[in-house]
Amino acid sequence: MAHYLVFLEQRGGCISKVSVDTWNRVQQQAAQEGESVSGFVGGPLKPTALGELYGNGTIYHAQDEALSLPSETLLCRILSALVAEEGCTGIVIGATAAGRRLAPYLAETLHASLLGGCAGGSLHSELCRRYIYSGLVLAAYRPEASIRIFLQGREQSRRSFFSTDRPHCVSFDASPFFVPHENLLIRSVTSGNSRKSIAESAIIVAGGRGMGGKDQFVLLEELASLLGGSVGASRSAVDEGWRPHSDQIGQTGKAVAPDLYIACGISGAVQHLAGLSSARTVVAVNSDPHAPVFDAADYGIVGDVREVIPAFIGAVKEVLQKK
Amino acid sequence: MNIAVCICQVPDLPSAVAVVDGSLDLSRVAWVMNPYDEYALEEALRLKERFPGSAVIALAAAPEAGKELLLKALAMGADRAVEVCSSTLQDSFQTAWVLAEAIGNIYGQELPDLVLCGRESLDLQNASVPAMLAGMLGMPFAGSVTALRADGESLEMEREGDDGLETLEALYPLVISAEKGLNIPRKTGIRQVMEARKKPLEIVQASALPDPLVRFAGAEPVSLKKACRFVETPSELAGLLYRGGFFKTAQE
Ligand SMILES: Cc1cc2nc3c(=O)[nH]c(=O)nc-3n(C[C@H](O)[C@H](O)[C@H](O)COP(=O)(O)OP(=O)(O)OC[C@H]3O[C@@H](n4cnc5c(N)ncnc54)[C@H](O)[C@@H]3O)c2cc1C
Ligand SMILES: Nc1ncnc2c1ncn2[C@@H]1O[C@H](COP(=O)(O)O)[C@@H](O)[C@H]1O
């Protein structure tokens, strides 16, 4: 019977949102099949850190400060030892930047089948279906190894868990896994900002070249903060220097999975749309009625962003006040 | 400094990829070097220019001769290019295995100081080969690097983490994957292409492959088309989205 290990990513003493979703989702799927789940988290935690995790099983917690910023190499040593000790057949990792780097390293170490970005995100399906070629092809892959590693994005795990049970936390001694002269270290993280990462946002307001300039993004910032979302960008907007590369959405940027995506002054190139395959509802604002972005949108407004966005901000404030 | 760079090719336009009866048809595809691999190669060439006596070898694992790809690498400035031929590679594990074997054959016991790869191949977007290759070579792996400062003994790198900018420190040998922003790759002209034809370009055969960990099991075409409902005014849109339940986060 399957036994899963969920890697819980820690940020500033809290479990990341993606990891919380992943844990709860795995619990739910495992419960349906009578399977069991363990977890691992490294680094000092705030007392409330595990508060959003439901279900059964054990969470191994290694308190070492060095695990707040672990290298792929170090994490791989710890997780592969845990997998062997616990006899895990499935490892589930949230598809964050760190998770994406860790998963293939671990897959090689364990000779495990890596299944990343599977549509639907079921742990039990025989095939993993995922988008390739900029989202224009849906391919199916069959895992061949006895251990599987699942990289799961947020879209697959938003449901909250129904159980009121709580996993129990035991402390884990990671000291055997530290080596005296580690040849790769993450020295520091300078949080550029406290903004929510677009990969985790439920609402994204994105701007393209049609915004006309850096200053115009203030409008999108205002709309995003009104809606509790964040701002993204097309590659053209990034190339113009209007936004940092971390805001770029698409094939060479981030794949996002919001409930609502509002594309402002974005033409809808296939490379941009590649980042949107998992967006639920897409709204497009563009002055060109023939812009390809409308073909990928649920709702569209033809018009100048400099007029439409301020009017839309006003209208949103109005509906929110009426409530 | 000995540097190996792993390069692969990707379709110029993804829309040229077709699906016929559940299989991929790539016959209409024009191929280009994977953009992330250009960053990797450019960085290798810059290191070579800084450290006299360095050598850069470009490596590609491919089922059939992608000579254009290797010529491009030589034109950019690689000293030597090697293509490892093998039957169709099923997954990243087999690809990494073929590359690891080739690196072993080329460098022997003395592994290269650096192995540079792209962050991911743009077509399949596995982002797996570099980490797997690192594991097989027994080297640590630094992924998605956006800045690199090297001296003779150690390396300092930067990358965008989930929380902000991360600074990394490492010793040689190391496998690095290159993210956009690392550099701006050089352009090549006729002269460089002519010179490239004089450089060593080898095609070697891979030995028997290990079993793949994941197997391709068919494909279907995807239409991104949705039925767009055009809305006349911003307030109509706001009303629709409000009723659709999209403004809950705003009210929290
Ligand atoms: C290998 C490769 C990878 C790529 N990766 C990515 C990627 O990850 N992400 C990405 O986004 N792109 C990517 N691209 C680039 C992509 O092909 C497009 O060039 C890019 O997405 C265009 O950005 P844009 O829509 O902002 O600009 P444009 O295509 O210039 O479109 C601007 C749009 O704004 C509209 N507009 C102009 N003025 C106004 C106004 N006042 N009001 C309203 N609308 C207005 C115009 O009608 C037009 O539709 C990639 C390309 C390649 C070759
Ligand atoms: N067939 C190949 N030959 C050489 N290098 C490859 C090959 N496939 C992938 N790579 C390298 O691995 C990186 C990531 O590829 P992937 O894991 O397929 O997304 C690429 O940017 C290349 O540097």
Side-chain angles (χ1 to χ4, degrees):
Chain A
M1 197 188 323
H3 177 46
Y4 299 99
L5 178 68
V6 178
F7 171 57
L8 298 165
E9 215 179 301
Q10 179 260 129
R11 300 206 192 139
C14 304
I15 308 290
S16 81
K17 269 249 174 324
V18 174
S19 292
V20 169
D21 288 348
T22 303
W23 169 269
N24 287 336
R25 163 121 190 165
V26 172
Q27 281 286 342
Q28 194 166 0
Q29 290 195 28
Q32 283 160 8
E33 304 282 325
E35 299 163 332
S36 51
V37 186
S38 296
F40 172 81
V41 58
L45 290 177
K46 292 186 176 156
T48 54
L50 302 177
E52 286 180 88
L53 305 181
Y54 293 92
N56 304 298
T58 303
I59 292 175
Y60 296 97
H61 178 207
Q63 312 239 1
D64 311 68
E65 181 64 49
L67 284 166
S68 312
L69 274 181
S71 69
E72 288 88 333
T73 324
L74 173 59
L75 271 180
C76 186
R77 285 199 295 268
I78 296 178
L79 292 176
S80 45
L82 251 178
V83 165
E85 198 175 308
E86 290 250 312
C88 299
T89 50
I91 301 147
V92 195
I93 299 174
T96 58
R100 281 177 217 272
R101 288 190 299 258
L102 169 66
Y105 205 56
L106 196 56
E108 196 280 324
T109 306
L110 296 169
H111 277 223
S113 298
L114 173 56
L115 305 173
C118 310
S122 165
L123 301 174
H124 300 118
S125 42
E126 234 168 273
L127 295 176
C128 165
R129 290 175 205 283
R130 59 179 282 254
Y131 294 98
I132 56 175
Y133 295 109
S134 304
L136 294 176
V137 175
L138 186 61
Y141 294 94
R142 176 177 295 111
E144 299 276 339
S146 55
I147 301 180
R148 296 170 189 191
I149 300 181
F150 302 87
L151 252 180
Q152 294 209 334
R154 176 131 205 244
E155 80 276 12
Q156 302 155 347
S157 24
R158 199 164 298 145
R159 227 165 313 154
S160 58
F161 192 51
F162 49 83
S163 168
T164 49
D165 291 343
R166 294 293 188 162
H168 70 279
C169 185
V170 302
S171 71
F172 179 86
D173 177 18
S175 57
F177 302 99
F178 291 99
V179 294
H181 301 287
E182 188 82 78
N183 48 5
L184 178 69
L185 289 173
I186 302 178
R187 224 181 29 203
S188 67
V189 176
T190 43
S191 317
N193 42 47
S194 53
R195 289 185 307 152
K196 217 184 323 173
S197 153
I198 51 171
E200 293 200 0
S201 292
I203 296 184
I204 295 173
V205 185
R209 199 195 300 283
M211 290 306 295
K214 194 174 181 152
D215 298 346
Q216 302 296 322
F217 273 84
V218 175
L219 284 175
L220 303 189
E221 293 282 1
E222 186 184 349
L223 179 57
S225 77
L226 187 62
L227 297 175
S230 39
V231 175
S234 74
R235 176 156 119 183
S236 298
V238 171
D239 287 349
E240 293 284 350
W242 300 342
R243 304 296 296 182
H245 179 241
S246 52
D247 282 1
Q248 183 178 318
I249 290 162
Q251 193 183 1
T252 41
K254 293 200 167 79
V256 293
D259 291 330
L260 179 64
Y261 188 81
I262 307 180
C264 308
I266 292 178
S267 60
V270 54
Q271 295 92 351
H272 184 77
L273 301 180
L276 301 184
S277 358
S278 305
R280 192 145 70 90
T281 298
V282 176
V283 174
V285 182
N286 197 300
S287 51
D288 173 7
H290 303 294
V293 69
F294 288 124
D295 292 335
D298 299 275
Y299 300 105
I301 291 193
V302 178
D304 189 325
V305 286
R306 286 163 295 190
E307 289 158 19
V308 174
I309 306 300
F312 182 61
I313 291 173
V316 171
K317 283 185 180 155
E318 219 165 280
V319 283
L320 289 180
Q321 266 157 21
K322 258 195 230 143
K323 203 218 103 184
Chain B
M1 194 180 294
N2 284 318
I3 308 174
V5 185
C6 299
I7 55 173
C8 60
Q9 51 185 4
V10 296
D12 188 12
L13 283 175
S15 45
V17 175
V19 179
V20 180
D21 296 333
S23 306
L24 290 170
D25 173 7
L26 302 175
S27 59
R28 286 186 300 132
V29 167
W31 299 92
V32 294
M33 188 188 291
N34 182 30
Y36 293 105
D37 301 357
E38 288 196 31
Y39 304 130
L41 182 54
E42 175 63 36
E43 202 61 23
L45 298 172
R46 290 184 187 191
L47 289 169
K48 175 185 138 124
E49 284 154 11
R50 275 198 43 216
F51 297 98
S54 299
V56 173
I57 302 181
L59 275 173
E64 61 216 39
K67 233 178 121 191
E68 292 305 313
L69 174 71
L70 297 186
L71 277 174
K72 157 110 184 171
L74 292 171
M76 278 178 75
D79 299 291
R80 188 177 153 193
V82 180
E83 173 174 300
V84 203
C85 270
S86 63
S87 54
T88 307
L89 297 166
Q90 287 276 346
D91 67 349
S92 310
F93 179 72
Q94 286 190 334
T95 305
W97 190 89
V98 165
L99 293 168
E101 183 190 56
I103 289 174
N105 287 340
I106 294 169
Y107 292 94
Q109 289 299 307
E110 297 257 328
L111 287 174
D113 303 294
L114 283 179
V115 177
L116 284 161
C117 295
R119 186 196 76 185
E120 67 179 22
S121 49
L122 263 193
D123 48 358
L124 305 185
Q125 302 197 276
N126 288 318
S128 295
V129 170
M132 290 185 169
L133 182 57
M136 291 170 188
L137 295 172
M139 293 186 187
F141 165 61
S144 315
V145 166
T146 53
L148 187 153
R149 290 175 290 272
D151 62 29
E153 262 101 60
S154 64
L155 295 137
E156 198 180 88
M157 290 160 287
E158 285 173 9
R159 71 177 172 207
E160 271 168 30
D162 298 286
D163 265 348
L165 194 69
E166 295 180 6
T167 315
L168 287 80
E169 253 175 19
L171 302 171
Y172 303 94
L174 184 69
V175 177
I176 294 173
S177 80
E179 172 64 287
K180 182 184 176 182
L182 182 59
N183 52 47
I184 296 171
R186 64 197 64 191
K187 299 271 178 277
T188 50
I190 307 269
R191 194 172 56 86
Q192 286 86 351
V193 174
M194 297 302 284
E195 275 165 18
R197 296 194 184 275
K198 291 184 223 134
K199 292 186 186 173
L201 192 163
E202 294 143 65
I203 297 179
V204 299
Q205 210 64 40
S207 54
L209 295 173
D211 287 336
L213 298 173
V214 173
R215 212 180 276 277
F216 178 75
E220 54 191 278
V222 176
S223 168
L224 298 171
K225 272 208 178 345
K226 290 182 167 183
C228 182
R229 171 169 169 192
F230 283 94
V231 183
E232 292 301 321
T233 64
S235 54
E236 192 185 340
L237 179 64
L240 273 169
L241 295 178
Y242 176 72
R243 288 192 295 281
F246 288 110
F247 294 169
K248 284 199 210 87
T249 10
Q251 290 159 335
E252 271 167 12

